[in-house]
């Protein structure tokens, strides 16, 4: 599509943004009693409400024109056709194939992967069942009570987030734990609570070279050998990787090694054998429901018209805030304690995908790309950083995630949780004017002097945008939908920004330097002379302050 179409779509959006600037979203609600119906979309028992953004039908029309100018439909088709959309690595990004249970062919770069995908999934499920049923045991013949996934980034955040989210479904299986950090405290603190003779380790690493994972796996192995003997290693370790050659070198028995493919990006790998710890924790049936949820959204994303397409709308609203209104951050606040790790999971999904400064062709991007993503569960966040979100000088769009009913929590608690979430999104939207603040203070019986002095502190600008994702309950299928929605949202934004969301070259430099520094840090006699002054100074300070 010619650049001029993109440029004029962007220009029209900028002009439109200045036209809307003086308006306040609360007046939009006052003027349009159907605003909620007009600016919300349902997907079965799943609702996306975006009526609290300061947008109009014209905003959506102009954003759709931008998506059209960027060829979103054909880029989406290429993604789902398994083409090599990851152009810097020459790979497809076909994680959707892992959750497509329809039985149709699943072409990835021209090769139908369906049989291979199904065979690997069956292997994962058979292993998960055997562990859950106690048919696979540790060295002493005892069933496993605990599974420790050793991995980092995409080989940790997905299964860790999902295992916590679906904890009510983890009945009858071993407990799942996740060790990621190279800080030895992570492994030590986790193992301090466990009985090694009843613990299964899963070493999860797409590349099987990641420093943190290799260090933690080696330490875990040493502990198993020390406690149970060398022969126990085969019984207490399994692995998940695309690099089966490297796993073999580590010494894990081939029948306990589960593979996936280089066309599954690390941060998109939860659907693959990387979900093994989750499959063991919640069982294959619940894992399958999780896959179904992801596939529901794949169909919706491909078939729903743009103005009813939830991931497309989420992506385009993000573009509106980032590019037209200059908003640098995006908050994700689940009013759902079991989604406590969802913001951390999204940080990798969103920021590792769209934290880019060059286009797919390597040219500098013209405008801003991915925002800083952060979040904490509500209501906790309310008592921490919401002050800034309400009255700070930056406006941060928010996604609220909320269940209509709890799974096993007290109904009264859930009513409080639910009303807090709605109260917050209302407060962000409505705000409180100076006059309203004064009236409130007068009602409290304050003196006129106090009213004048305090009222400015009690003003809320409002007009602070939020979306609400409301689902019936946090079950496996809902979680699958949530994850896939955000995956496709991130993809939509990458299309608008013309960047490759499937590589992550930005993590390389730090990794290289860490490998170069490790021997210097470990050997007190190693020279720091070749290092920059700050790095050398910090190492020298450590040397003079140790033990
Ligand atoms: O941090 C960079 C990264 O490559 C992520 O993209 C990936 O999810 C993580 O490291 C872990 O990589 P691996 O699964 O290869 O150990």
């Amino acid at each position: 599509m010619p650049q001029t179409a993109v440029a004029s779509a962007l220009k029209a959006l900028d002009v439109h943004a200045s036209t809307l600037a003086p308006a306040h979203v609360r007046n939009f609600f006052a003027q349009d009693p159907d605003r909620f119906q007009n600016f919300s979309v349902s997907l079965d028992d799943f609702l996306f409400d975006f009526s609290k953004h300061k947008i109009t039908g014209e905003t959506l029309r102009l954003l759709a024109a931008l998506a059209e100018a960027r060829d979103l439909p054909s880029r989406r088709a290429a993604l789902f056709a398994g083409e090599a959309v990851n152009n810097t690595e020459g790979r497809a990004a076909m994680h959707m194939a892992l959750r497509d249970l329809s039985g149709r062919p699943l072409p990835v770069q021209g090769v139908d992967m369906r049989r291979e995908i199904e065979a690997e999934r069956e292997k994962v499920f058979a292993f998960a069942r055997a562990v859950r049923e106690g048919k696979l045991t540790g060295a002493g013949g005892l069933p496993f009570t605990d599974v420790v996934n050793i991995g980092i980034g995409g080989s940790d955040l997905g299964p860790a987030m999902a295992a916590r989210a679906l904890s009510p479904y983890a009945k009858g299986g071993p407990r799942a734990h996740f060790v990621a950090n190279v800080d030895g405290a992570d492994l030590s603190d986790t193992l301090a609570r466990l009985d090694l003779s009843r613990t299964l380790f899963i070493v999860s690493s797409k590349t099987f070279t990641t420093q943190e994972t290799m260090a933690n796996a080696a330490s875990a192995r040493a502990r198993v050998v020390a406690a149970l003997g060398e022969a126990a290693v085969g019984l207490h370790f399994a692995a998940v990787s695309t690099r089966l050659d490297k796993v073999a070198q580590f010494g894990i028995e081939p029948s306990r090694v589960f593979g996936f493919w280089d066309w599954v990006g690390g941060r998109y790998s939860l659907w693959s054998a990387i979900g093994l710890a989750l499959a063991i924790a919640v069982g294959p049936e619940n894992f399958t429901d999780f896959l179904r949820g992801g596939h529901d959204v794949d169909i919706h994303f491909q078939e729903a018209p743009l103005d009813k397409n939830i991931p497309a709308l989420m992506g385009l609203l993000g573009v509106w805030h980032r590019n037209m209104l200059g908003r640098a951050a995006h908050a994700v606040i689940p009013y759902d304690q079991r989604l406590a790790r969802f913001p951390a999971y999204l940080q990798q999904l969103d920021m590792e995908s769209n934290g880019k400064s060059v286009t797919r062709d390597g040219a500098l991007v013209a405008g801003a790309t991915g925002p800083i993503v952060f979040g904490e569960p509500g209501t906790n966040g309310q008592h921490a950083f919401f002050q800034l979100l309400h009255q700070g000088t930056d406006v941060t769009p928010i996604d609220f995630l909320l269940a209509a009913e709890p799974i096993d929590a007290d109904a009264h608690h859930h009513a409080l949780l639910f009303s807090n979430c709605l109260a917050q999104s209302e407060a962000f939207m409505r705000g409180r004017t100076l006059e309203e603040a004064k009236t409130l203070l007068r009602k409290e019986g304050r003196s006129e002097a106090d009213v004048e002095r305090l009222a400015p502190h009690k003003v809320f600008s409002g007009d602070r945008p939020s979306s609400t994702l409301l689902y019936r309950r946090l079950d496996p299928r809902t979680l699958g939908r949530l994850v896939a929605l955000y995956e496709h949202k991130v993809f939509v934004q990458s299309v608008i920004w013309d960047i490759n969301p499937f590589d992550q070259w930005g993590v390389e430099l730090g990794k290289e330097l860490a490998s170069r520094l490790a021997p210097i840090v470990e050997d007190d006699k190693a020279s720091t002379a070749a290092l920059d002054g700050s790095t050398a100074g910090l190492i020298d300070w450590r040397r003079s302050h140790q033990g």
Side-chain angles (χ1 to χ4, degrees):
M1 188 60 60
Q3 278 304 305
T4 48
V6 174
S8 56
L10 287 169
K11 178 94 183 57
L13 278 159
D14 281 336
V15 171
H16 176 64
S18 11
T19 318
L20 278 188
H24 195 293
V25 68
R26 68 168 157 175
N27 297 329
F28 290 0
F29 277 95
Q31 289 152 10
D32 178 6
D34 295 330
R35 184 168 176 84
F36 173 71
Q37 282 75 18
N38 292 338
F39 293 91
S40 59
V41 178
S42 302
L43 173 60
D44 309 327
D45 57 1
F46 200 100
L47 178 78
F48 176 57
D49 169 27
F50 57 104
S51 59
K52 292 189 178 98
H53 292 260
K54 188 167 67 182
I55 53 164
T56 63
E58 176 68 355
T59 322
L60 294 183
R61 198 187 60 72
L62 293 172
L63 286 168
L66 175 62
E68 187 67 29
R70 280 295 193 198
D71 270 342
L72 177 62
S74 55
R75 296 281 304 282
R76 178 180 55 196
L79 174 78
F80 278 92
E83 290 177 21
V85 291
N86 176 354
N87 67 323
T88 58
E89 297 178 305
R91 294 174 184 164
M94 197 41 171
H95 39 279
M96 299 82 67
L98 303 168
R99 56 200 186 213
D100 186 329
L101 307 174
S102 69
R104 69 176 183 105
L106 296 168
V108 180
Q109 292 180 268
V111 179
D112 180 10
M113 295 300 296
R114 188 172 63 81
R115 277 180 201 287
E116 260 192 67
I117 292 168
E118 284 176 357
E120 203 58 34
R121 186 163 53 227
E122 240 343 286
K123 203 175 138 193
V124 166
F125 282 1
F127 186 77
R129 276 193 200 99
V131 172
R132 285 174 65 80
E133 290 164 8
K135 290 185 179 145
L136 285 178
T137 65
L142 295 170
F144 293 113
T145 51
D146 295 275
V147 172
V148 178
N149 183 79
I150 296 178
I152 197 162
S155 299
D156 164 71
L157 287 162
M161 174 279 291
R164 182 144 184 203
L166 300 181
S167 57
Y169 295 84
K171 295 193 177 102
R175 291 175 290 261
H177 310 265
F178 296 86
V179 170
N181 201 330
V182 76
D183 182 343
D186 201 0
L187 183 69
S188 290
D189 290 358
T190 304
L191 296 189
R193 292 174 269 138
L194 308 185
D195 172 358
L196 274 187
S197 71
R198 308 195 66 170
T199 300
L200 173 71
F201 292 91
I202 303 170
V203 186
S204 297
S205 174
K206 180 175 174 182
T207 56
F208 229 73
T209 55
T210 304
Q211 185 197 59
E212 294 93 326
T213 302
M214 294 302 105
N216 279 323
S219 297
R221 189 183 196 285
R223 286 186 188 232
V224 167
V225 171
L228 308 169
E230 184 73 37
V233 171
L235 294 173
H236 286 262
F237 277 84
V240 183
S241 184
T242 58
R243 293 299 308 271
L244 304 185
D245 51 335
K246 291 195 183 288
V247 182
Q249 286 164 24
F250 187 88
I252 294 176
E253 213 224 294
S255 68
R256 287 160 171 247
V257 178
F258 304 92
F260 60 114
W261 303 269
D262 67 1
W263 45 264
V264 182
R267 52 193 173 275
Y268 302 89
S269 63
L270 170 57
W271 315 98
S272 73
I274 287 290
L276 177 59
L278 176 67
I280 293 174
V282 302
E285 289 69 27
N286 286 317
F287 193 91
T288 304
D289 273 348
F290 169 72
L291 299 179
R292 281 196 189 100
H295 186 59
D296 293 341
V297 169
D298 292 337
I299 294 172
H300 168 81
F301 179 48
Q302 291 176 91
E303 294 181 355
L306 207 69
D307 62 343
K308 297 273 177 269
N309 193 311
I310 302 175
L313 288 166
M314 288 168 75
L316 292 172
L317 285 167
V319 166
W320 167 250
H321 290 300
R322 189 77 187 99
N323 298 121
M324 281 76 227
L325 305 174
R327 287 158 184 166
H330 183 93
V332 179
I333 315 290
Y335 275 71
D336 202 322
Q337 181 61 22
R338 294 193 177 108
L339 285 177
R341 293 293 285 159
F342 196 67
Y345 170 78
L346 282 187
Q347 282 179 322
Q348 189 200 14
L349 175 62
D350 198 318
M351 294 164 80
E352 198 166 82
S353 297
N354 283 343
K356 310 284 166 65
S357 302
V358 294
T359 65
R360 287 183 300 154
D361 296 337
L364 275 182
V365 294
T369 59
I372 293 164
V373 176
F374 70 99
E376 271 292 315
T379 60
N380 301 15
Q382 291 174 205
H383 301 273
F385 53 85
F386 271 41
Q387 165 64 40
L388 182 146
L389 298 183
H390 279 293
Q391 288 189 317
T393 48
D394 287 303
V395 172
T396 302
I398 303 171
D399 290 351
F400 291 109
L401 274 53
L402 183 63
E405 63 183 31
I407 289 189
D408 55 3
D410 181 284
H412 173 58
H413 280 260
H414 193 259
L416 295 180
L417 181 76
F418 198 91
S419 39
N420 264 281
C421 182
L422 264 52
Q424 289 297 328
S425 71
E426 185 184 350
F428 283 117
M429 181 274 285
R430 178 186 296 282
R432 180 189 283 152
T433 65
L434 187 62
E435 268 324 301
E436 287 168 345
K438 286 183 180 174
T439 307
L440 207 72
L441 287 162
R442 285 187 189 112
K443 270 197 196 143
E444 286 172 13
R446 299 283 191 157
S447 69
E448 252 335 276
D450 266 3
V451 168
E452 289 304 319
R453 186 171 62 83
L454 292 175
H457 299 276
K458 293 187 167 263
V459 169
F460 292 69
S461 66
D463 217 354
R464 298 197 169 206
S466 71
S467 305
T468 302
L469 280 159
L470 181 58
Y471 41 87
R472 194 165 72 82
R473 62 204 326 239
L474 186 59
D475 56 24
R477 194 158 183 162
T478 296
L479 185 70
R481 288 179 172 196
L482 280 174
V483 172
L485 278 177
Y486 278 94
E487 285 178 354
H488 292 318
K489 169 208 163 163
V490 165
F491 173 74
V492 166
Q493 295 189 330
S494 77
V495 170
I496 302 296
W497 294 324
D498 194 26
I499 55 181
N500 177 6
F502 300 116
D503 62 13
Q504 58 283 319
W505 302 103
V507 301
E508 295 303 328
L509 180 58
K511 285 187 190 173
E512 278 164 38
L513 296 183
S515 307
R516 200 190 71 186
L517 285 178
I520 304 174
V521 171
E522 266 192 287
D523 176 3
D524 281 354
K525 303 277 176 304
S527 168
T528 57
L531 305 175
D532 68 82
S534 170
T535 308
L538 293 166
I539 292 175
D540 290 342
W541 197 93
R542 176 181 189 258
R543 286 177 181 174
S544 62
H545 284 76
Q546 274 182 321

